[in-house]
Amino acid sequence: MLPQKQAEEAIVSNFNETENEATTKEEEKDADSSMFSVKSLLWHGGSAWDAWFSCASNQVAQVLLTLPYSFSQLGMLSGILFQVFYGLVGSWTAYLISVLYIEYRSRKEKENVSFKNHVIQWFEVLDGLLGPYWKAAGLAFNCTFLLFGSVIQLIACASNIYYINDRLDKRTWTYIFGACCATTVFIPSFHNYRIWSFLGLGMTTYTAWYLTIAALIHGQVEGVSHSAPAKLVLYFTGATNILYTFGGHAVTVEIMHAMWKPQKFKYIYLLATLYVFTLTIPSAAAVYWAFGDQLLNHSNAFSLLPKTGFRDAAVILMLIHQFITFGFACTPLYFVWEKVIGLHDTRSICLRALARLPVVIPIWFLAIIFPFFGPINSAVGALLVSFTVYIIPAMAHMLTYRKASARQNAAEKPPSFLPSWTAMYVFNSFIVIWVLVVGFGFGGWASMSNFVKQVDTFGLFAKCYQCKSPSPSSAQHH
């Protein structure tokens, strides 16, 4: 412990490159030597596998339960095509984020800056490469997206537990889960999510295959109809929910920074997305095939499946996974808050946990005000994810490498399957225009129309949203 402490103190006092390299080597050595210890096995992860589990686990949580609802708005063919399209485009923009992170880090390390006790975040990458206006935009979109992402997890927890125990209303469950999720303040960083990511992915895998098999065994309901796509508003609301599904990038930089070798991240997000396809496409297609238009009034797929031990198990696993995803979404917010109040490099876990509590309270409050997560997914997708995940990374990449000198000295050259800078520019421009028009434009209009209707129908602070079977009056808003 003593030599390590001396090394750390030396780095804090003197930012020179030799010590910076020594620190990295020391970290890797520590990682190798403690590879077989229990703490390392469960707690201290930084490998490419850890990053893969984090990305895959973070991509699908409660969205699994709303995708059949999206299919009932889009229809089967559009539902599958949008998933594949946004999954691949999302993987591309995650790749761009990783390239920009490596560019930023290599430039800073040439200036002898050490990141020993500092987690690099996306807004800092934008600031370092493009200046303060980009930093402000990145910070605003990312933080708002993560805030509402955390809110959605809390609402979904209350919505899911209600299917097992309806003696308490959903609002009371939200109070209870808010208190449980507040314990994530004790998890220091993404290094420490190894066991959680692994468990989280196992849980969503079980839930996805439970939904698929249960829907197929149940068979089609009597007089099932598949009328989608029927209305433009519903079509674009569903499309935007899928855009949201593959938008887990708000934590990409933090996951990369937790790796021993961030350069290996490049294709990890794509590999995670391909695995996620095996969960989202079969489950959404099977549930939509079985229940058809009934899903238009049931944004949570659990509400239509019969109560069995398997369903209860899926609900409980989903709840635990939502707790994990809440931690994923909140951790970058904790980092930002720590940097604002000057406690980011503090070693004391208890002090940091205490400082993080003010982040959890507004999330808790918002979950009680807006208790409907299906429409919120679409609104967040259109207004926040479209910029955070697709538009800002594509534009930032184009602007960072707009000069010939920047392209010549780039830390990462264009990938082998798209070897020219021109081709990258064309593809990035297409992403910006498509997402601006279809995601933000049409999607924003549709999801906000739907969202306002939900508020009008059920009111804010609803005690128990969509608890009874839908009456004719509550079905009219679709």
Side-chain angles (χ1 to χ4, degrees):
M1 271 314 282
L2 202 63
Q4 190 181 348
K5 196 168 180 188
Q6 285 167 350
E8 284 166 14
E9 283 165 5
I11 287 157
V12 173
S13 63
N14 185 0
F15 286 120
N16 82 46
E17 200 165 5
T18 324
E19 282 168 357
N20 202 356
E21 282 169 20
T23 311
T24 313
K25 283 174 188 162
E26 196 177 300
E27 276 180 6
E28 284 177 19
K29 198 170 140 193
D30 282 354
D32 294 339
S33 65
S34 63
M35 192 62 81
F36 300 106
S37 76
V38 174
K39 185 182 173 185
S40 164
L41 191 68
L42 304 181
W43 184 249
H44 207 64
S47 68
W49 276 106
D50 287 307
W52 182 84
F53 275 114
S54 291
C55 288
S57 170
N58 189 41
Q59 240 180 68
V60 281
Q62 98 303 329
V63 164
L64 260 185
L65 310 176
T66 61
L67 283 173
Y69 167 65
S70 298
F71 270 47
S72 72
Q73 297 168 322
L74 286 164
M76 188 76 82
L77 180 65
S78 289
I80 292 169
L81 290 177
F82 269 118
Q83 278 207 40
V84 173
F85 174 70
Y86 281 128
L88 295 177
V89 170
S91 300
W92 172 254
T93 52
Y95 167 76
L96 297 181
I97 290 172
S98 74
V99 167
L100 293 172
Y101 167 87
I102 288 166
E103 181 68 39
Y104 169 77
R105 190 160 179 171
S106 65
R107 286 185 192 182
K108 285 290 174 192
E109 283 174 352
K110 279 175 193 164
E111 296 167 17
N112 297 336
V113 176
S114 163
F115 296 106
K116 175 66 181 168
N117 287 335
H118 184 94
V119 175
I120 299 173
Q121 292 187 270
W122 178 225
F123 70 90
E124 291 166 318
V125 172
L126 289 172
D127 186 27
L129 298 176
L130 296 168
Y133 292 113
W134 280 85
K135 173 188 177 178
L139 198 56
F141 278 110
N142 242 31
C143 289
T144 317
F145 168 38
L146 289 166
L147 181 81
F148 278 101
S150 308
V151 169
I152 289 164
Q153 297 309 324
L154 270 190
I155 299 167
C157 282
S159 174
N160 290 348
I161 191 72
Y162 187 78
Y163 296 118
I164 292 184
N165 183 337
D166 56 9
R167 285 192 290 280
L168 296 174
D169 60 72
K170 288 182 184 176
R171 192 166 65 192
T172 308
W173 281 120
T174 308
Y175 292 134
I176 294 166
F177 278 102
C180 295
C181 289
T183 58
T184 56
V185 296
F186 289 102
I187 301 176
S189 78
F190 282 99
H191 277 305
N192 315 115
Y193 270 98
R194 168 175 278 189
I195 190 70
W196 295 117
S197 301
F198 179 74
L199 290 173
L201 195 58
M203 290 162 188
T204 33
T205 302
Y206 171 86
T207 305
W209 286 107
Y210 156 73
L211 289 173
T212 309
I213 294 162
L216 294 174
I217 290 171
H218 182 279
Q220 290 187 309
V221 293
E222 203 178 324
V224 69
S225 62
H226 299 87
S227 59
K231 285 185 189 168
L232 218 52
V233 171
L234 294 181
Y235 187 82
F236 284 109
T237 305
T240 313
N241 189 37
I242 291 177
L243 175 139
Y244 170 85
T245 305
F246 295 97
H249 304 42
V251 295
T252 305
V253 171
E254 288 84 356
I255 291 171
M256 276 186 79
H257 190 82
M259 293 175 71
W260 308 128
K261 292 178 181 150
Q263 293 80 358
K264 288 185 175 178
F265 185 84
K266 277 185 265 180
Y267 301 112
I268 284 174
Y269 201 90
L270 175 64
L271 297 172
T273 301
L274 294 176
Y275 179 75
V276 166
F277 283 155
T278 69
L279 307 181
T280 55
I281 295 174
S283 61
V287 176
Y288 177 54
W289 168 83
F291 297 100
D293 291 349
Q294 278 190 24
L295 283 156
L296 285 168
N297 292 322
H298 295 80
S299 53
N300 189 324
F302 280 145
S303 61
L304 288 169
L305 289 161
K307 189 173 167 64
T308 62
F310 289 112
R311 192 192 78 163
D312 288 355
V315 172
I316 289 164
L317 291 178
M318 212 58 188
L319 283 171
I320 301 167
H321 186 249
Q322 275 156 344
F323 164 78
I324 296 164
T325 312
F326 181 91
F328 266 124
C330 258
T331 301
L333 289 175
Y334 296 152
F335 291 157
V336 173
W337 178 243
E338 286 168 4
K339 286 170 188 174
V340 167
I341 60 173
L343 278 175
H344 185 58
D345 52 1
T346 306
R347 281 247 178 250
S348 163
I349 289 178
C350 292
L351 186 61
R352 285 176 74 178
L354 201 62
R356 289 169 170 192
L357 276 176
V359 177
V360 179
I361 292 157
I363 291 168
W364 206 351
F365 187 62
L366 286 167
I368 292 157
I369 301 177
F370 301 111
F372 23 83
F373 73 86
I376 289 183
N377 277 6
S378 301
V380 168
L383 305 178
L384 299 171
V385 176
S386 53
F387 284 93
T388 302
V389 171
Y390 301 97
I391 295 171
I392 291 177
M395 287 185 70
H397 189 274
M398 289 194 284
L399 287 171
T400 300
Y401 297 110
R402 67 190 181 279
K403 291 181 183 163
S405 59
R407 294 194 290 275
Q408 206 173 345
N409 300 320
E412 288 283 333
K413 300 296 183 218
S416 52
F417 59 86
L418 205 67
S420 85
W421 286 99
T422 312
M424 288 187 82
Y425 263 70
V426 170
F427 192 50
N428 287 340
S429 304
F430 163 75
I431 291 170
V432 171
I433 294 162
W434 173 277
V435 175
L436 208 53
V437 174
V438 177
F440 179 69
F442 288 112
W445 159 72
S447 57
M448 287 318 290
S449 309
N450 189 31
F451 187 77
V452 169
K453 273 183 184 166
Q454 298 278 15
V455 174
D456 287 347
T457 312
F458 295 98
L460 303 175
F461 294 100
K463 197 168 184 181
C464 211
Y465 173 72
Q466 281 188 355
C467 290
K468 307 282 181 287
S469 58
S471 61
S473 65
S474 70
Q476 279 170 7
H477 71 281
H478 286 290

